[in-house]
Amino acid sequence: MGLSQFGTNTIKVALNHAGLFKHFVHYSRNIRVSTIVGGDSNIYKKAAGKKHLTLMHLLSMVKKNYDDLLFVSNNKNDCDHFEKMNMCQVYYVKTHGMTQQDMEYIEQTYIVSTN
C-alpha cells in the first residue's frame, strides 16, 4: 500500500519507473486494484488528510494487517509518530528523495519475493 501527498498517478509512475509498482497492487474479484493513495484521492480527502485514518481505512478495504504496511517518508515527525503508535513498519528516508540505496534496502528488507 502506498500513501502520498502527491497525486496518485505521479506516485504510480515513479514506482513503475523504479520497478516497484507490482508490489502496490492486489486483486479483488479477479480485478487488479492499485493500493496507492495520493493526496488527490477520495480516501485521503475523506480522512481530512490525516495519514493514520487514511491508512486504517485502506487497510480495512484490502483486508490487511498493520504489519503488512510499510510507511516510508522523509518526514521524521511522521515516522516517529507511526513508530510510537506501533501502527506499521516505518522506514525514514534521510534525504529529500529516495536513493538507489534506499530502494535496494527496502526491497531486500521489507518486500517479500513472490518468485
Side-chain angles (χ1 to χ4, degrees):
M1 286 174 267
L3 170 65
S4 174
Q5 65 191 18
F6 300 107
T8 303
N9 283 332
T10 302
I11 300 307
K12 286 180 182 179
V13 168
L15 288 169
N16 196 41
H17 181 72
L20 295 174
F21 181 69
K22 63 186 175 197
H23 300 292
F24 293 87
V25 294
H26 94 263
Y27 291 86
S28 176
R29 297 185 201 123
N30 295 326
I31 298 171
R32 188 174 130 172
V33 178
S34 165
T35 56
I36 303 295
V37 175
D40 58 348
S41 73
N42 287 333
I43 294 171
Y44 191 78
K45 290 174 184 175
K46 285 180 183 176
K50 295 184 183 204
K51 294 175 185 126
H52 71 284
L53 294 178
T54 304
L55 292 174
M56 287 169 51
H57 182 74
L58 186 58
L59 285 168
S60 70
M61 283 177 52
V62 297
K63 296 175 179 43
K64 295 286 183 180
N65 297 319
Y66 293 118
D67 35 334
D68 293 328
L69 177 68
L70 172 63
F71 182 78
V72 178
S73 178
N74 70 341
N75 183 315
K76 183 78 168 122
N77 290 334
D78 282 347
C79 288
D80 290 346
H81 178 69
F82 280 107
E83 272 189 334
K84 191 180 292 182
M85 289 176 65
N86 199 26
M87 183 175 177
C88 56
Q89 299 177 74
V90 175
Y91 181 80
Y92 172 60
V93 179
K94 295 175 181 79
T95 60
H96 188 68
M98 291 182 65
T99 64
Q100 184 65 34
Q101 186 178 11
D102 287 322
M103 298 291 270
E104 289 170 1
Y105 181 83
I106 287 171
E107 191 162 24
Q108 293 169 3
T109 307
Y110 299 105
I111 297 177
V112 177
S113 176
T114 57
N115 295 338

